[in-house]
Amino acid sequence: MKRALGLIFLLIVCIGSIGAVEPAAPVAPQKDHFSVWHGEKVNDPWFWLREKGSVDVLAYLNAENGYTEKMTSGLNPFVDTLYREMLGRMKQTDLSVPWRFGRYYYYNRTVEGQQYPIYCRKAAAVDMGFAEQAMEEILLDQNEMAKGLKFLSLYMGSVSSDEQKLLFCTDTTGFRQYSLFVKDLVNGQV
């Protein structure tokens, strides 16, 4: 009896899976590309994937993205629930711990609904403590800087010893290709 029930169950599972054909994962074609390293000839068949703007690379990446989307589409309700739960546990409008350098306290703050932090400073109080009521000076608003860009990474460098210049780097590619800038904090010019 148990064996008969087991066979019936197996038959039901097999019949149920007959129409459910999963898409095949895309496979990157191999294209010979030879280089000489330390006197040795080396083949890198996936070298062509480095050409980010090429039609072949974009087609392959789109195929991979499509495959991933099809294979994970059943997870979307869970992903949405998890995202809302994580967002609900974050304090979106927040202030970092201020640190003193010279006559100023430096900090960054985040604002609900904005993606990036805002880098600021306030003049220290007479006793060199943090003056909550002091006027805030916005050094860099990464949200403003990111307008019109797909990506912006900002590395907050350092302030000059006379506290009038700010050194910082930005990356708009995502490949750590930083551009170096100096902002004059007196007149706001970069």
Side-chain angles (χ1 to χ4, degrees):
M1 182 68 165
K2 286 183 181 179
R3 187 173 184 163
L5 287 175
L7 287 173
I8 292 172
F9 177 74
L10 182 61
L11 184 60
I12 291 171
V13 169
C14 289
I15 290 172
S17 65
I18 285 175
V21 177
E22 291 184 359
V27 177
Q30 297 184 28
K31 300 177 182 179
D32 287 340
H33 180 273
F34 292 96
S35 301
V36 178
W37 295 350
H38 309 288
E40 295 285 327
K41 191 174 179 182
V42 178
N43 184 20
D44 181 358
W46 292 280
F47 185 88
W48 66 274
L49 287 169
R50 294 181 183 198
E51 299 168 13
K52 295 171 187 68
S54 107
V55 175
D56 291 342
V57 172
L58 291 175
Y60 176 70
L61 291 176
N62 286 333
E64 275 194 350
N65 289 339
Y67 174 76
T68 301
E69 197 167 308
K70 285 178 187 172
M71 295 303 291
T72 60
S73 63
L75 298 175
N76 287 342
F78 172 71
V79 170
D80 294 339
T81 302
L82 184 61
Y83 175 75
R84 283 193 306 277
E85 183 176 330
M86 288 170 51
L87 204 56
R89 295 175 186 268
M90 289 182 200
K91 188 174 183 182
Q92 292 186 50
T93 299
D94 203 4
L95 182 76
S96 71
V97 175
W99 66 94
R100 190 170 69 81
F101 176 75
R103 300 172 300 140
Y104 292 92
Y105 275 88
Y106 295 83
Y107 58 94
N108 59 63
R109 61 184 173 84
T110 54
V111 177
E112 185 173 350
Q114 293 187 346
Q115 185 173 358
Y116 298 108
I118 301 169
Y119 299 89
C120 311
R121 73 177 180 182
K122 287 185 179 185
V126 176
D127 66 354
M128 298 311 283
F130 182 69
E132 190 88 28
Q133 72 285 356
M135 188 175 86
E136 177 180 81
E137 181 181 349
I138 295 176
L139 304 177
L140 297 172
D141 184 343
Q142 194 171 348
N143 298 289
E144 287 297 317
M145 295 169 70
K147 284 186 177 173
L149 300 174
K150 291 182 179 180
F151 174 84
L152 177 66
S153 176
L154 185 127
Y155 172 71
M156 189 71 161
S158 60
V159 177
S160 62
S161 58
D162 65 359
E163 300 167 334
Q164 294 186 5
K165 300 211 182 321
L166 171 67
L167 178 73
F168 66 98
C169 298
T170 63
D171 172 21
T172 58
T173 65
F175 296 102
R176 295 183 180 163
Q177 296 174 348
Y178 287 99
S179 299
L180 183 65
F181 297 96
V182 176
K183 180 176 182 178
D184 187 328
L185 298 177
V186 176
N187 64 24
Q189 298 294 318
V190 178

